[in-house]
Amino acid sequence: MMKKLSFLLLLMLIFIFRTPLPALADEPEDGNILILNSYYRGFTWTDDEVDGILSSMSEQKWDYQISIEYMDWKRYPTQENLRNFYNMMKMKYASKDIDVIVCTDDAAFQFALTYRKELFSNAPVVFSGINTEGLVQIAKGQDNYTGVMEKINPEGTIRAALAINPKIRNIYLVYDNTESGLSTGKLCRDAATKIDKNLNVVALNDYKSDSILNFVSDVDKNSMVLVTTFFTDTDGSNIDHELFCEKLSMVSNVPIYHLYDFAMGSGILGGNLIIGGLQGEEAGKLAVRILNGEKASSIKPIEMYTNQLTFDYPMLKHFGISESSLPSGSKVVNAPFSFFETYKKLVITVSLIFAFMVSFTVLLLFYIKRIKIMQKKLEENNEELSQLYEKLAASEEELRLQYSKVTEANEKLEEYSATLYYRSHHDALTGLYNRLYLSEEIEKHLYKGAEEGALYFIDLDNFKYVNDSLGHNAGDELLKAISSRLMSVSTKNDILVRLGGDEFVYYTNEIKNKDAAEQFALKILDLFTIPFPISNNMLSVTASIGVVMFPEDGQDLDTLLRNADMAMYKVKEKGKKGYRFFHNLFKEEFLERIHIENYFKKALDEQEFQLFYQPQINVNADSIDGFEALIRWDSPELGYLPPLKFIPIAEENGFIITLGEWILRTSCIYIKMLNDRIQANYKISVNISVIQLLQDDFANIVKNILEKTGLDASLLELEITESVIMESAKVITKKIAELREIGVRIALDDFGTGYSSLSYVKSLPITTLKIDKIFVDDIKNSDSNTNVTDTIIDLGHKMELTIIAEGVETEAQLAYLIENGCDVIQGYLYSKPLPEKELEKWICNF
């Protein structure tokens, strides 16, 4: 027993006094590291980033030379400063080998990429503190770089302020008119709108610093002041940001919030702050990886929130805010010294050791007493041990039985594990492989371009209308039938995957060139030529296919899927039902599409969209019948964009709902005003997208607009193309009937270019047929072969419909259409689409 006690004592001493042994690691050769800073030494943000970078590098066990330079761009953003800095760098580094450059913020990153080949041994670059937009602009056309992307989170700061004071209704934004100031200001406005559209957001970027101090001193109690980047006054002079924050806090009756941690200790209450030191630490880790042999171009830039909910203790006390009211996970800084809080771990450790020693002493005394008792009972226990042996022998059989049960349970567990693996790697509906299997299996095939082949991204055309018309059960049955056909052309070495929804991926390493890949794409399309028997219906379904060849179009799965998706999208753009190979030009088009999407809401908010109106002339009465409203977009950033450039994108991302409602409301307001002013009854024609028609409340939206504008329903005509109706004929026909019930006119646009079925035209509650320009162009003189045009006019009149011919440009076309009974003419012969002022002049001269 004494041996056991000695052993316990030894374990306790080891636990208390143990020290970790240093780990051994391979040491790379010495290197030269350049830390290039956009701003000046002493600026808290820059100093924190540098400290973070150095902290990451200090963990390494090898020697290296670190040089730190400062551009001072925030205080002196001039070409003269840039020239002087360039000359200094040329003098110091042009003949010195640099192994890696670590840049903090935009100016340093731009300088490093521009001059690294000339000044810095063409070294790889690691950036810190660059946002997504800045990275796209600065690094365009560059490679051999990586870094940590800055993600500002104004939403977190605003939500924190609302948690502290739920009565906040006014948000005052303090930022300058620099590029970074304007961009962060916009992010703050967008975040406030996302949280609560009723929040009143006021930007103070056009106020001088003195005016801002006067303004903030008189704000309402239920307000918050949010400072982002304010380093330049409206007259271009530099601002001491920290001193300005102190002054702002002194005059303000409400807390001052911020987005960056460098403002803490300057009168700022706090917020969801970007921590410069964390960004620097992550950038330093990336630099170490490069020094250890990784290539910068192979390291994907890190997108992460280096944010922390942080609040200043003195300011909490100043405004009477309890720490319990702060959001969960908040950190309070600058609190007064507390021995327990400062040395909390040490106090707890010492207390635990003391408690352990007391317990051990008590336990030791207890065991000494027990030893005496146990020695007395030792002889008595010999007999008990004999009896125990007999019981153990009897239990042996029971243990064998338990072992048998454990073995059986283990077999069931293995079966369940296999079942679980199957379910996690296969699509539950079709039985095909899923995205997880694709990720795990394909990446090892694609590693470093070790395998050649082709990947097909297959997307069904208009699949959602099957669900809309026949229900989701029919849609599921169709997906299973399509999967079965795709499997019929698959070999054992191929991988067929259902990504989700109506998207499939076909991976094969048996195709080595584009000719063979093209033949197989045609083979896949042939599978869709035979209709699918689903729910007593024969469904004709087509597919759009994007094709990529590997490794030339990508050496990892994400790249291949992204490029194949771009190629598939080009098929959709050209009318669906086909295939396209990926081309690098698609990336530029994709980025252009992203730019267009990003500017949509701004364009609507800042009134960049404008409506033009093209007259429609009643040739029987030689009078103006009405006008067609046509959208135009002249963007300061993107230039003039024709409707065909941005309307399809708006339809795909859903913005067409907001834009379409704006077009409808704006045109109704204008035609009502025009009619009232000149005592006329002109009608207005507005083009409607299928996305708008498929809204459940579209008819109510039209009714509300007519009620609010006061426009008579009979003066509104909605233009719908044939292809729109055939997308979901049953649903859309019902919507058209609802609109006709309230008196709205319905025009079938581009008639004759699509399905042109007499049976469906007769069943539609329309009022007008529009003859497409392609048929009008065929009219050269009175002897032109215009059987289609004549048939459309004759058909429309028999159905008591108004016939409008669009695209009329010559007197010969006009004469022919009048002679053959066309009711209304629209085209450049009378007028091109005009803005409001020019239109009203045209009306006066008609």
Side-chain angles (χ1 to χ4, degrees):
M1 182 59 65
M2 290 303 296
K3 290 182 178 180
K4 292 183 178 179
L5 291 174
S6 299
F7 181 69
L8 288 173
L9 180 60
L10 178 61
L11 288 178
M12 181 192 73
L13 293 175
I14 293 174
F15 172 79
I16 296 173
F17 298 107
R18 74 185 188 278
T19 57
L21 294 174
L24 296 177
D26 294 334
E27 297 183 2
E29 296 180 359
D30 295 351
N32 289 311
I33 302 168
L34 172 61
I35 301 176
L36 191 60
N37 298 288
S38 297
Y39 308 133
Y40 55 91
R41 186 199 302 258
F43 181 40
T44 305
W45 172 258
T46 297
D47 291 347
D48 287 348
E49 285 190 285
V50 172
D51 289 344
I53 295 167
L54 296 176
S55 174
S56 294
M57 294 182 175
S58 67
E59 298 175 2
Q60 303 304 309
K61 302 301 181 183
W62 33 261
D63 295 327
Y64 47 83
Q65 297 294 322
I66 299 178
S67 301
I68 305 176
E69 303 290 350
Y70 300 86
M71 293 181 67
D72 205 358
W73 191 252
K74 188 171 289 295
R75 295 187 299 184
Y76 304 104
T78 66
Q79 289 301 312
E80 182 180 3
N81 178 23
L82 190 61
R83 285 193 300 272
N84 292 337
F85 187 75
Y86 168 85
N87 291 331
M88 182 175 68
M89 292 301 99
K90 185 174 181 180
M91 178 182 68
K92 294 176 69 174
Y93 297 104
S95 60
K96 185 176 183 180
D97 290 334
I98 300 296
D99 294 286
V100 64
I101 308 170
V102 185
C103 301
T104 65
D105 301 298
D106 296 45
F109 186 39
Q110 178 76 65
F111 186 90
L113 290 178
T114 303
Y115 298 110
R116 64 177 170 181
K117 186 172 183 181
E118 179 182 353
L119 302 178
F120 306 124
S121 313
N122 202 23
V125 177
V126 178
F127 64 79
S128 171
I130 309 294
N131 59 34
T132 303
E133 185 175 349
L135 180 61
V136 171
Q137 293 176 354
I138 297 172
K140 184 176 182 181
Q142 296 279 356
D143 58 7
N144 199 21
Y145 69 86
T146 187
V148 183
M149 298 175 66
E150 178 178 282
K151 298 185 72 174
I152 300 173
N153 188 11
E155 182 179 345
T157 296
I158 296 173
R159 290 191 184 278
L162 289 170
I164 294 171
N165 180 12
K167 295 182 180 180
I168 288 177
R169 285 294 171 266
N170 301 306
I171 301 177
Y172 299 101
L173 301 180
V174 179
Y175 57 89
D176 56 31
N177 288 314
T178 62
E179 182 179 353
S180 60
L182 294 173
S183 65
T184 53
K186 182 179 184 302
L187 287 174
C188 292
R189 291 197 301 273
D190 292 344
T193 302
K194 178 181 177 182
I195 294 171
D196 186 350
K197 293 182 179 179
N198 294 321
L199 288 172
N200 178 35
V201 182
V202 179
L204 305 180
N205 58 306
D206 290 331
Y207 285 56
K208 286 182 65 63
S209 57
D210 292 342
S211 300
I212 293 175
L213 294 173
N214 291 333
F215 183 89
V216 170
S217 66
D218 196 32
V219 298
D220 182 77
K221 286 286 186 182
N222 293 326
S223 305
M224 68 175 288
V225 177
L226 176 55
V227 182
T228 65
T229 55
F230 192 73
F231 294 90
T232 306
D233 215 331
T234 53
D235 60 1
S237 61
N238 292 326
I239 294 291
D240 185 324
H241 187 79
E242 295 177 5
L243 178 60
F244 177 76
C245 289
E246 291 178 2
K247 292 180 179 180
L248 200 63
S249 177
M250 291 174 62
V251 302
S252 175
N253 295 320
V254 298
I256 311 297
Y257 293 87
H258 212 285
L259 297 181
Y260 297 89
D261 67 332
F262 60 74
M264 294 303 291
S266 302
I268 299 300
L269 178 65
N272 197 346
L273 308 180
I274 294 181
I275 309 301
L278 291 180
Q279 285 197 0
E281 287 180 13
E282 294 301 326
K285 291 176 183 177
L286 293 178
V288 169
R289 288 172 62 183
I290 293 172
L291 289 170
N292 283 331
E294 292 190 54
K295 292 184 178 180
S297 57
S298 67
I299 303 175
K300 186 177 181 180
I302 299 174
E303 291 190 52
M304 61 183 295
Y305 280 109
T306 53
N307 300 68
Q308 168 69 51
L309 283 166
T310 308
F311 297 91
D312 187 68
Y313 181 87
M315 299 311 298
L316 289 174
K317 294 300 180 185
H318 175 73
F319 288 104
I321 299 171
S322 67
E323 294 185 30
S324 61
S325 66
L326 300 179
S328 175
S330 296
K331 177 181 178 182
V332 177
V333 299
N334 300 326
F337 176 78
S338 166
F339 180 85
F340 178 75
E341 291 296 331
T342 304
Y343 302 105
K344 186 176 183 180
K345 291 184 179 179
L346 179 61
V347 170
I348 293 174
T349 302
V350 172
S351 299
L352 289 174
I353 293 174
F354 181 76
F356 183 80
M357 295 295 292
V358 171
S359 301
F360 181 77
T361 303
V362 173
L363 184 63
L364 184 62
L365 294 173
F366 173 77
Y367 270 102
I368 292 173
K369 184 177 180 180
R370 289 282 293 173
I371 288 171
K372 295 179 180 180
I373 297 173
M374 290 175 69
Q375 285 175 339
K376 183 179 180 180
K377 291 185 176 181
L378 186 58
E379 293 81 8
E380 299 174 4
N381 288 338
N382 284 333
E383 184 178 352
E384 293 179 5
L385 285 172
S386 299
Q387 294 174 355
L388 179 61
Y389 176 77
E390 294 175 359
K391 290 181 180 179
L392 288 173
S395 300
E396 183 178 356
E397 185 63 29
E398 182 179 354
L399 287 172
R400 289 178 179 176
L401 179 61
Q402 293 295 331
Y403 176 77
S404 177
K405 291 181 178 180
V406 169
T407 302
E408 183 181 350
N410 188 53
E411 291 174 354
K412 291 182 178 179
L413 182 61
E414 289 178 356
E415 292 177 4
Y416 175 75
S417 178
T419 301
L420 186 62
Y421 177 84
Y422 179 87
R423 291 179 179 175
S424 66
H425 290 77
H426 288 77
D427 177 51
L429 176 65
T430 64
L432 300 179
Y433 291 121
N434 60 14
R435 182 185 286 271
L436 176 61
Y437 179 87
L438 186 68
S439 298
E440 293 179 355
E441 187 68 19
I442 303 306
E443 286 292 355
K444 57 189 179 185
H445 288 281
L446 297 176
Y447 181 67
K448 292 186 177 179
E451 187 166 275
E452 294 181 336
L455 184 143
Y456 298 80
F457 191 102
I458 306 167
D459 185 274
L460 305 184
D461 297 328
N462 304 326
F463 174 74
K464 65 178 179 177
Y465 301 119
V466 175
N467 285 337
D468 292 342
S469 58
L470 299 180
H472 287 277
N473 289 336
D476 289 346
E477 290 301 316
L478 177 59
L479 289 173
K480 289 192 283 187
I482 290 171
S483 299
S484 179
R485 287 195 188 176
L486 290 173
M487 283 295 295
S488 69
V489 296
S490 176
T491 69
K492 65 178 182 179
N493 293 326
D494 299 336
I495 297 177
L496 178 59
V497 172
R498 181 187 176 214
L499 285 185
D502 61 343
E503 295 177 340
F504 298 84
V505 168
Y506 194 100
Y507 171 94
T508 176
N509 58 6
E510 295 185 354
I511 293 175
K512 307 299 184 183
N513 57 70
K514 282 194 174 182
D515 289 339
E518 182 174 22
Q519 291 303 314
F520 192 74
L522 293 171
K523 189 174 183 179
I524 295 175
L525 291 175
D526 284 343
L527 296 177
F528 293 88
T529 57
I530 302 174
F532 295 84
I534 304 294
S535 300
N536 298 320
N537 292 282
M538 296 300 290
L539 300 182
S540 295
V541 181
T542 61
S544 299
I545 305 174
V547 188
V548 290
M549 305 297 295
F550 52 85
E552 54 261 40
D553 291 333
Q555 297 184 17
D556 60 82
L557 182 60
D558 287 343
T559 302
L560 288 174
L561 287 178
R562 182 171 62 252
N563 291 343
D565 184 54
M566 280 190 261
M568 181 276 295
Y569 176 74
K570 297 304 292 183
V571 179
K572 296 283 190 185
E573 275 189 340
K574 299 300 182 181
K576 307 174 184 177
K577 188 182 178 182
Y579 68 92
R580 284 290 293 273
F581 283 90
F582 170 75
H583 193 284
N584 279 325
L585 291 177
F586 294 172
K587 292 182 181 179
E588 296 181 8
E589 296 177 10
F590 182 75
L591 288 175
E592 181 185 30
R593 170 188 171 87
I594 295 297
H595 280 306
I596 291 174
E597 289 182 343
N598 290 340
Y599 284 112
F600 269 145
K601 187 175 186 306
K602 169 184 171 294
L604 193 59
D605 292 341
E606 300 187 6
Q607 299 180 351
E608 294 175 11
F609 290 113
Q610 184 180 3
L611 290 183
F612 280 41
Y613 301 89
Q614 187 170 33
Q616 296 174 330
I617 308 302
N618 186 323
V619 293
N620 296 321
D622 193 25
S623 61
I624 301 172
D625 188 58
F627 310 95
E628 180 179 0
L630 300 166
I631 185 78
R632 298 290 185 266
W633 183 10
D634 191 3
S635 168
E637 296 83 8
L638 304 174
Y640 174 79
L641 283 84
L644 288 177
K645 190 78 170 179
F646 63 86
I647 290 296
I649 298 175
E651 289 181 329
E652 288 189 20
N653 69 6
F655 183 72
I656 193 66
I657 293 176
T658 302
L659 182 60
E661 187 173 340
W662 177 85
I663 294 171
L664 187 59
R665 181 184 299 105
T666 303
S667 57
C668 287
I669 291 172
Y670 176 68
I671 202 67
K672 172 64 176 172
M673 178 274 295
L674 181 64
N675 283 341
D676 289 348
R677 184 150 47 83
I678 65 176
Q679 297 299 306
N681 281 307
Y682 299 143
K683 69 177 178 65
I684 187 69
S685 293
V686 181
N687 291 281
I688 300 299
S689 165
V690 64
I691 307 300
Q692 294 174 264
L693 276 172
L694 288 176
Q695 295 179 91
D696 291 337
D697 61 344
F698 180 69
N700 290 331
I701 291 174
V702 176
K703 291 177 186 178
N704 290 337
I705 290 175
L706 290 173
E707 290 174 2
K708 291 181 179 180
T709 60
L711 182 67
D712 190 282
S714 64
L715 297 179
L716 174 61
E717 183 172 78
L718 302 181
E719 295 191 11
I720 306 169
T721 63
E722 288 184 79
S723 57
V724 164
I725 295 174
M726 296 310 293
E727 292 280 8
S728 189
K730 185 177 180 181
V731 175
I732 291 178
T733 301
K734 182 180 177 182
K735 295 288 180 67
I736 293 174
E738 291 181 41
L739 294 167
R740 287 293 300 128
E741 287 178 4
I742 64 175
V744 175
R745 298 172 61 84
I746 305 295
L748 188 59
D749 196 9
D750 300 338
F751 184 72
T753 62
Y755 300 90
S756 304
S757 168
L758 297 179
S759 60
Y760 92 81
V761 172
K762 290 180 182 178
S763 66
L764 295 175
I766 61 175
T767 59
T768 306
L769 280 181
K770 292 194 75 174
I771 303 173
D772 190 77
K773 185 178 184 299
I774 63 173
F775 300 116
V776 174
D777 288 343
D778 289 339
I779 303 172
K780 307 300 181 183
N781 51 55
S782 60
D783 297 328
S784 299
N785 183 7
T786 56
N787 293 333
V788 175
T789 305
D790 298 344
T791 302
I792 294 174
I793 295 173
D794 184 56
L795 169 66
H797 284 159
K798 287 181 179 178
M799 295 174 62
E800 299 183 353
L801 302 177
T802 300
I803 307 300
I804 299 179
E806 58 183 351
V808 178
E809 298 178 351
T810 68
E811 293 290 347
Q813 292 170 344
L814 175 63
Y816 182 89
L817 291 167
I818 293 175
E819 181 180 349
N820 285 274
C822 186
D823 303 308
V824 178
I825 300 298
Q826 178 180 343
Y828 275 41
L829 180 61
Y830 282 100
S831 174
K832 64 181 181 181
L834 299 170
E836 293 177 3
K837 291 184 179 179
E838 293 184 26
L839 178 69
E840 293 173 20
K841 292 180 181 179
W842 183 90
I843 293 172
C844 293
N845 296 326
F846 180 75

